[in-house]
């Protein structure tokens, strides 16, 4: 029988930017964590660590999943606490990228390391074999590299790098911890400078810089071209450099220059004079508030190399180039760029060509296979598709011919020929449905067979890999109910951003009926994020275009043509999906669909089989309401949950207000003394969340805000959410699940609570913090949550609260101000304050 392997306690050595954030993510995962730093020269010995922990509180995005998590990090220093290392199962070194400093530290801590502990360096590119030499030979088999990407909470990639002496079993033990406990995507890299992701990602930046200069393009124009149009982050290239830090980037480039002298692209491994000048001035990017970009007031300025001054950023993409970039077919996109003589198009083709060329030549030396390279770049740099995926999707043979042609013509950044495996006449690509090409063995390698990956029922896919989402029970244009050969039904939405429409509501009602008749549980899970962005406001607009009585004058004239411009909204207008293909003045029709939404929520809550919301990404408005009515929520840590209807001038009316009022009453009953129940303090926090449209910035914060209960589960790896949801369903089935009894006596705060909330809002109104319409919405939220015009402590039932929701929702929908908010959200994708 094999021994269980546990990592109970971790020490992080170094409380700099990365070390402190790695420690924060470890406590996100409930791992006991020590954070070491040099003792302070003055004051308390742990002063340097405490300063670093204070700095974490100021970072945005937040490294901790909940502010309280940071209190669990245990400060330590090298003078007083080295003996505590002997109790640690994993020690992660994360000090500055200096081989000599790291070696000195290793020699200092080695005597205190336990015999079974794993010691890992978080280096971004230094040699793991050279680093291991600083350890006694008896410890080297427990040494490896663990390279997190910044920010470590959010970036999916971790590169795992062995040295020559690393025990193979150690990596197999460490990988499940990184994957399940910390939620990461692990790629095993070879011990080469900068490993895989930085090697390719930094070369891509170098190529971008080189060709931008050759074609005379400004930094803002380059970023306009190399962001979302290419399936990459909005920060694109030079904004990303500012985020990473110009000093950090300079160090990584220097590592390549010093250690890759034989690389055919070696002459390009340098940073230009203007770049060094910025670093010398301390203009390091985002952390110094000045780099390639600088924010002046509300305006973004960018460095202009022609004047060496900052100017207002005003990048413009050529219309014909823009049309090509909007093409989703990579074969047409690359062909269009290559054939277009415009400098912007030629620049983009040149960057693609040289990145493909570089990846092909170095694949064998830096990665085990093409899959690992593509995943490393996707997970480490946020690309939607890896270099080999794009090449294969664009037509392997055609792109290969173009690259060869440019190499022979002297247009490429290096003259080295493509490797023989690339130009093999039989080759159509590097990825198949089951495996990816490995040049070293000239074979195709399947994915890892480690047991941890069985938890990923539908892992992240590469081009060519197909996902078979079970057997269909029924399917409409909006939803699909399916199963995986067992007794658990899974419902997935098909709408854009998984927004809620009238047809989705019909599908959900049918799915609950099917689950009760033929299955033992029902899971709501989407095949890709988000869980649901709320209401389909475009349908609301289309309904209002019928110009019924109740719509404001000129509303429809302004909205004509907007349908074509609106791709989607994450507004979470909310609680009511299609509100419904109906107009504000057409009360009976609208109210019927409002009632249907409420019916769906109540069916989820009181179904005869357990219902599980498996959440990842946005769960806003109606998506949040579905979740909180399910028997259980299983949420990935990176789930952003909230009732945000006020953003479009409405309130939650799919049971959201009712459920929060009910939870406040239950909490009050739980904390009552001598049977005296005071609902108001508990209800007030739910009122604030709804009236302010607050969104939980993690599943942990959703629990703090009351959207998740203690019985709900939080999973750090989003690819494991469905597995855990099915396990939860099986546990409920095993206990002979019965739905909760209808709660017919819900204590409410009544008119006294309403008056107290209104008084607070009047002060905010008079102080200019909220508008008249905000006040109107807030009053209606207060009346709904407090149970209406009844005495404090009155007992009502769920239907009473649902009726209040509906009434106030309809009143708001008929107002001119709310219609303006819906119009603005559709046109601009952000809320209007009016």
């Amino acid at each position: 029988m094999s021994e269980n392997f546990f990592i109970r306690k971790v020490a992080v050595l170094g409380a700099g930017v990365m070390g402190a954030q790695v420690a924060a993510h470890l406590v996100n995962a409930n791992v006991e964590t020590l954070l070491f730093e040099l003792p302070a020269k003055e004051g308390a010995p742990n002063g340097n660590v405490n300063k670093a922990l204070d700095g974490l509180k100021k970072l945005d995005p937040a490294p901790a999943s909940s502010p309280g998590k940071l209190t669990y990090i245990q400060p330590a220093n090298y003078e007083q606490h080295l003996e505590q290392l002997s109790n640690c199962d994993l020690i992660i070194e994360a000090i500055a990228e200096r081989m000599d400093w790291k070696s000195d530290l290793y020699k200092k801590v080695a005597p205190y390391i336990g015999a079974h502990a794993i010691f890992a360096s978080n280096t971004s590119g230094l040699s793991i074999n050279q680093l291991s030499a600083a350890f006694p030979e008896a410890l080297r088999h427990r040494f490896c590299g663990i390279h997190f990407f910044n920010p470590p909470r959010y970036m999916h990639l971790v590169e795992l790098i062995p040295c020559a002496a690393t025990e193979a079993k150690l990596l197999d033990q460490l990988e499940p911890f990184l994957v399940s406990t910390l939620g990461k995507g692990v790629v095993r890299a070879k011990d080469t400078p900068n490993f895989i992701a930085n090697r390719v990602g930094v070369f891509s930046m170098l190529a971008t810089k080189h060709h931008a200069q050759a074609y005379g393009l400004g930094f803002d124009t380059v970023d306009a071209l190399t962001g979302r149009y290419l399936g990459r982050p909005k920060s694109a290239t030079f904004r990303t450099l500012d985020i990473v830090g110009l000093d950090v980037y300079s160090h990584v480039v220097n590592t390549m220059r010093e250690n890759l002298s034989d690389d055919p692209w070696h002459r390009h491994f340098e940073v230009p004079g203007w770049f060094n000048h910025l670093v010398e001035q301390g203009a390091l990017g985002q952390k110094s508030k000045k780099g390639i970009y600088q924010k002046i007031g509300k305006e973004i300025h960018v460095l202009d190399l022609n004047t060496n001054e900052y100017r207002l950023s005003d990048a413009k993409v050529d219309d014909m180039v823009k049309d090509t970039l909007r093409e989703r077919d990579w074969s047409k996109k690359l062909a269009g760029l290559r054939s277009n003589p415009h400098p912007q198009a030629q620049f983009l083709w040149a960057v693609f060509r040289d990145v493909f060329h570089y990846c092909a030549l170095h694949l064998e030396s830096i990665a085990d296979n093409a899959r690992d390279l593509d995943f490393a770049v996707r997970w480490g740099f946020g690309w939607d598709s890896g270099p080999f995926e794009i090449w294969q999707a664009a037509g392997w043979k055609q792109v290969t011919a173009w690259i060869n042609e440019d190499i022979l013509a002297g247009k490429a950044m290096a003259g080295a020929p493509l490797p023989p495996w690339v130009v093999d006449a039989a080759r159509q690509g590097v990825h198949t449905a089951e495996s990816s090409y490995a040049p070293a063995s000239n074979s195709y390698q399947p994915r890892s067979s480690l047991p941890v990956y069985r938890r990923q029922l539908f892992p992240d896919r590469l081009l060519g890999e197909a996902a078979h989402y079970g057997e269909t029970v029924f399917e409409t244009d909006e939803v699909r109910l399916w199963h995986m050969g067992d007794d658990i039904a899974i419902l997935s939405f098909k709408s854009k951003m998984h927004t809620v429409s009238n047809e989705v509501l019909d599908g959900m009602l049918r799915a609950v009926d099917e689950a009760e008749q033929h299955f033992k549980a029902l899971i709501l899970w989407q095949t890709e994020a988000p869980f649901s962005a709320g209401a389909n406001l475009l349908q609301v607009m289309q309904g209002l275009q019928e110009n019924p009585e109740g719509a404001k004058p000129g509303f429809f004239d302004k909205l004509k043509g907007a349908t074509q411009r609106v791709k989607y909204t994450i507004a979470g207008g909310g609680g009511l999906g299609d509100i419904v293909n109906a107009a504000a003045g057409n009360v009976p029709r609208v109210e019927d669909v409002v009632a249907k939404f409420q019916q769906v929520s109540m069916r989820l809550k009181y179904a005869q089989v357990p219902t599980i919301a498996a959440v990842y990404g946005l769960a806003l408005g109606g998506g949040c309401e579905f979740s909180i009515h399910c028997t259980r929520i299983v949420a990935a840590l990176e789930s952003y949950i909230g009732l945000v209807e006020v953003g479009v001038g409405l309130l939650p009316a799919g049971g959201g207000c009712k459920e929060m009022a009910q939870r406040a009453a239950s909490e009050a009953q739980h904390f009552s003394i001598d049977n005296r129940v005071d609902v108001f303090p508990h209800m007030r926090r739910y009122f604030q969340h709804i009236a302010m449209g607050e969104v939980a910035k993690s599943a942990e914060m959703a629990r703090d805000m009351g959207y998740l209960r203690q019985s709900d589960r939080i999973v750090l790896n989003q690819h494991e959410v469905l597995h855990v949801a099915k396990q939860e369903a099986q546990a409920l089935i095993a206990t002979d699940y019965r739905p909760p009894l209808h709660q017919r006596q819900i204590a409410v705060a009544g008119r006294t609570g309403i008056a107290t909330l209104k008084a607070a809002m009047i002060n905010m109104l008079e102080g200019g913090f909220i508008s008249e319409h905000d006040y109107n919405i807030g009053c209606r939220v207060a009346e709904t949550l407090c149970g209406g015009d009844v005495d404090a402590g009155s007992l009502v039932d769920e239907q009473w609260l649902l009726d209040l929701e509906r009434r106030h929702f309809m009143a708001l929908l008929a107002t001119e101000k709310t219609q303006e908010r819906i119009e603005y959200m559709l046109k601009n994708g952000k809320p209007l304050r009016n």
Side-chain angles (χ1 to χ4, degrees):
M1 183 179 295
S2 61
E3 291 184 7
N4 287 333
F5 174 78
F6 293 111
I7 292 179
R8 300 171 178 84
K9 190 173 186 178
V10 178
V12 179
L13 309 183
V17 174
M18 278 301 289
Q21 290 193 77
V22 168
H25 192 59
L26 286 163
V27 294
N28 286 343
N30 293 330
V31 177
E32 188 176 354
T33 303
L34 292 166
L35 180 58
F36 277 79
E37 190 46 89
L38 294 169
K41 295 180 179 178
E42 298 178 359
N46 284 332
N48 290 331
V49 180
N50 292 329
K51 183 179 178 181
L53 293 177
D54 288 339
L56 289 178
K57 300 172 186 176
K58 302 171 186 176
L59 292 180
D60 186 22
S65 58
S66 175
K69 285 286 188 181
L70 295 178
T71 63
Y72 290 97
I73 299 175
Q74 303 170 48
N77 67 78
Y78 299 120
E79 280 191 5
Q80 295 178 307
H81 305 116
L82 283 178
E83 70 280 357
Q84 294 188 34
L85 292 176
S86 63
N87 298 319
C88 294
D89 304 299
L90 172 63
I91 300 166
I92 301 174
E93 170 271 306
I95 69 169
E97 291 286 84
R98 285 272 302 267
M99 184 72 72
D100 54 342
W101 290 0
K102 290 179 187 286
S103 296
D104 288 345
L105 179 61
Y106 294 0
K107 292 171 185 174
K108 184 174 186 176
V109 302
Y112 301 92
I113 298 172
H116 300 289
I118 299 171
F119 193 101
S121 175
N122 183 54
T123 177
S124 60
L126 296 180
S127 169
I128 301 301
N129 280 293
Q130 281 185 255
L131 287 171
S132 73
F135 274 111
E137 192 169 344
L139 290 178
R140 292 176 194 170
H141 69 291
R142 309 291 294 168
F143 180 77
C144 67
I146 297 179
H147 181 207
F148 290 86
F149 277 66
N150 191 20
R153 170 185 160 187
Y154 301 95
M155 297 308 292
H156 193 56
L157 178 65
V158 169
E159 290 175 318
L160 193 54
I161 314 102
C163 68
T166 304
E167 187 180 322
K169 180 182 176 183
L170 176 142
L171 299 183
D172 289 347
Q173 291 173 330
L174 197 50
E175 190 161 342
F177 171 78
L178 295 169
V179 171
S180 279
T181 306
L182 300 188
K184 297 305 174 187
V186 172
V187 169
R188 296 200 185 186
K190 296 182 180 182
D191 186 22
T192 55
N194 293 336
F195 312 127
I196 303 174
N198 274 343
R199 182 80 174 267
V200 175
V202 169
F203 176 79
S204 176
M205 290 179 171
L206 289 169
T208 302
K209 173 197 64 88
H210 173 81
H211 292 300
Q213 182 178 353
Y215 287 99
L217 304 181
F219 298 128
D220 50 345
T221 300
V222 169
D223 281 349
L225 290 165
T226 59
R228 290 309 303 157
Y229 282 130
L230 303 186
R232 299 178 190 175
K234 290 181 180 179
S235 56
T237 302
F238 293 107
R239 283 186 189 275
T240 296
L241 282 181
D242 271 357
I243 293 169
V244 169
L246 304 192
D247 53 337
V248 174
Y249 175 75
S250 180
H251 172 79
V252 174
V253 173
N254 286 340
T255 299
M256 294 175 71
R257 183 174 65 251
E258 292 169 6
N259 296 284
L260 295 169
S261 57
D262 294 335
D263 193 301
W265 287 265
H266 183 264
R267 65 188 178 90
H268 297 288
F269 298 164
E270 61 180 3
V271 291
W274 61 264
F275 194 101
N276 284 323
H277 183 63
L278 288 176
V279 173
E280 289 165 4
Q281 285 186 318
L284 306 179
Q286 187 169 279
K287 57 189 173 186
S288 62
K289 303 188 184 305
K290 183 179 181 181
I292 295 171
Y293 289 90
Q294 181 180 19
K295 190 172 184 180
I296 302 176
K298 293 185 177 180
E299 296 178 340
I300 303 297
H301 290 242
V302 62
L303 181 66
D304 189 327
L305 292 183
N306 293 318
T307 62
N308 286 322
E309 301 288 339
Y310 288 87
R311 59 167 173 79
L312 188 66
S313 177
D314 61 348
K316 292 180 177 60
V317 177
D318 176 76
D319 287 341
M320 288 186 65
V321 175
K322 192 180 296 183
D323 288 343
T324 301
L325 290 173
R326 285 173 175 156
E327 176 61 62
R328 293 189 176 186
D329 184 326
W330 277 108
S331 62
K332 295 178 181 177
K333 181 178 287 189
L334 288 191
L337 293 174
R338 190 172 189 274
S339 63
N340 187 336
H342 194 281
Q344 292 179 1
Q346 288 299 298
F347 155 76
L348 286 170
W349 159 248
V351 173
F352 274 116
R353 174 199 64 219
D354 288 316
V355 170
F356 292 160
H357 187 189
Y358 191 82
C359 291
L361 199 68
H362 290 302
L363 173 60
E364 182 173 349
S365 65
I366 67 174
D368 288 336
N369 54 62
R371 175 180 53 252
D372 287 350
L373 187 147
D374 275 346
F375 274 147
V377 175
R378 279 171 46 174
W379 295 342
F381 281 81
W383 294 17
D384 290 352
S385 303
F388 287 122
E389 287 183 285
I390 296 171
W391 186 346
Q392 184 168 327
W396 187 270
K397 289 185 178 301
Q398 179 61 78
V399 173
T400 299
W402 288 337
I403 296 171
N404 268 329
E405 186 179 322
D406 283 6
I407 292 171
L408 292 172
K411 295 180 179 180
M413 290 171 66
L418 288 169
W421 66 264
V422 173
V423 296
D424 186 333
R427 182 164 303 284
Q428 299 297 324
V430 292
H431 301 304
T432 70
E434 294 84 24
S435 56
S436 293
Y437 184 68
S441 60
N442 192 29
S443 64
Y444 280 78
Q445 291 183 356
R447 286 175 178 257
S448 170
S449 59
L450 285 177
V452 66
Y453 292 109
R454 296 174 199 155
R455 296 168 58 87
Q456 298 186 15
L457 304 180
F458 298 97
D460 211 348
R461 298 199 312 279
L462 287 168
L463 177 74
E465 291 183 315
H468 176 61
Y469 294 109
E471 301 300 321
T472 301
V473 178
F474 75 82
E475 186 169 11
T476 70
D477 289 340
E478 299 288 320
V479 303
R480 176 175 179 256
L481 186 71
W482 52 285
H483 66 88
M484 298 179 67
D486 53 20
D487 51 11
I488 298 174
I490 302 169
L491 182 69
S492 301
F493 298 175
K494 297 165 60 179
S495 52
K496 184 77 172 182
M497 296 288 285
H498 305 132
T499 51
V500 185
S501 66
N502 191 38
E503 294 75 18
V504 167
L505 296 176
D506 288 336
M508 295 186 74
L509 290 173
R510 182 178 170 187
V512 177
D513 289 342
E514 285 280 354
E516 288 182 330
Q517 292 174 29
H518 303 294
F519 295 90
K520 292 185 178 179
L522 173 65
I523 295 175
L524 307 184
W525 177 78
Q526 314 299 2
T527 57
E528 57 186 15
F531 179 75
S532 174
N536 184 336
L537 290 180
L538 191 53
Q539 286 193 350
V540 181
M541 182 192 77
Q542 290 166 337
L544 287 172
Q545 283 178 330
E546 296 172 14
N547 200 14
E549 182 183 353
K552 70 184 179 71
F555 183 61
F556 311 103
D557 292 337
K558 291 182 181 179
L559 288 179
K560 281 179 182 177
T563 303
Q564 300 303 316
R565 295 195 300 274
V566 177
K567 293 182 179 178
Y568 59 81
T569 175
I570 62 170
L576 294 177
D578 168 45
I579 320 222
V580 274
N581 250 347
N586 191 355
V587 177
R589 185 177 173 194
V590 173
E591 198 153 8
D592 284 347
V593 184
V594 176
K596 185 190 294 185
F597 194 105
Q598 294 178 338
Q599 181 189 2
V600 170
S601 293
M602 296 296 278
R603 287 287 283 130
L604 289 170
K605 185 172 184 176
Y606 293 108
Q608 293 302 308
V609 297
T611 57
I612 316 287
V615 177
Y616 170 55
L618 300 175
L620 303 180
C624 176
E625 287 176 301
F626 291 155
S627 302
I628 62 180
H629 281 87
C630 286
T631 313
R632 291 282 188 278
I633 298 174
V634 174
L637 182 69
E638 300 309 328
S639 296
Y640 310 104
I641 302 172
L643 297 169
V644 294
E645 287 80 355
V646 296
V648 286
L650 298 168
L651 56 71
C657 290
K658 178 271 302 177
E659 193 65 19
M660 295 300 101
Q662 196 168 356
R663 292 187 182 187
S666 296
E667 291 167 12
Q669 184 69 44
H670 180 74
F671 291 105
S672 64
I673 300 174
D674 298 331
N675 291 322
R676 289 175 294 174
V677 177
D678 184 4
V679 177
F680 184 78
H682 303 278
M683 182 277 301
R684 179 170 51 194
R685 75 170 182 138
Y686 291 118
F687 168 79
Q688 179 177 331
H689 298 330
I690 294 173
M692 301 296 291
E694 294 178 350
V695 176
K697 293 183 179 179
S698 72
E700 286 283 1
M701 290 188 70
R703 178 170 281 160
D704 294 343
M705 293 169 68
Y707 292 130
L708 265 63
R709 300 148 295 195
Q710 287 305 310
S711 57
D712 294 325
R713 308 297 180 200
I714 297 175
V715 180
L716 269 78
N717 195 316
Q718 68 264 30
H719 299 297
E720 296 183 356
V721 168
L722 181 57
H723 166 79
V724 177
K726 295 190 77 170
Q727 294 294 310
E728 281 290 305
Q730 293 290 4
L732 290 163
I733 294 166
T735 57
D736 194 25
Y737 173 79
R738 298 284 300 175
L741 297 173
H742 285 264
Q743 192 173 348
R744 306 188 190 282
Q745 294 188 324
I746 303 167
V748 293
R751 62 179 71 90
T752 304
I754 296 170
T756 304
L757 293 173
K758 283 186 175 180
M761 286 189 290
I762 286 173
N763 289 334
M764 294 181 71
L765 179 63
E766 292 178 347
F769 297 105
I770 61 174
S771 68
E772 288 279 357
H773 195 50
D774 290 329
Y775 176 74
N776 180 23
I777 298 166
C779 288
R780 293 185 181 278
V781 172
E783 288 176 24
T784 305
L785 286 174
C786 292
D789 188 18
V790 297
D791 293 335
S794 294
L795 301 177
V796 302
D797 61 13
E798 289 180 279
Q799 192 58 52
W800 175 273
L801 293 169
L802 289 171
D803 290 345
L804 281 172
E805 280 186 355
R806 248 188 358 267
R807 184 194 322 153
H808 288 299
F809 179 90
M810 298 307 304
L812 287 169
L813 186 59
T815 64
E816 181 175 331
K817 294 288 189 183
T818 286
Q819 291 171 20
E820 287 174 354
R821 288 192 180 192
I822 294 173
E823 171 189 346
Y824 190 86
M825 178 61 76
L826 282 166
K827 287 186 172 181
N828 300 285
K830 56 186 178 181
L832 169 71
R833 289 293 306 276
N834 62 351

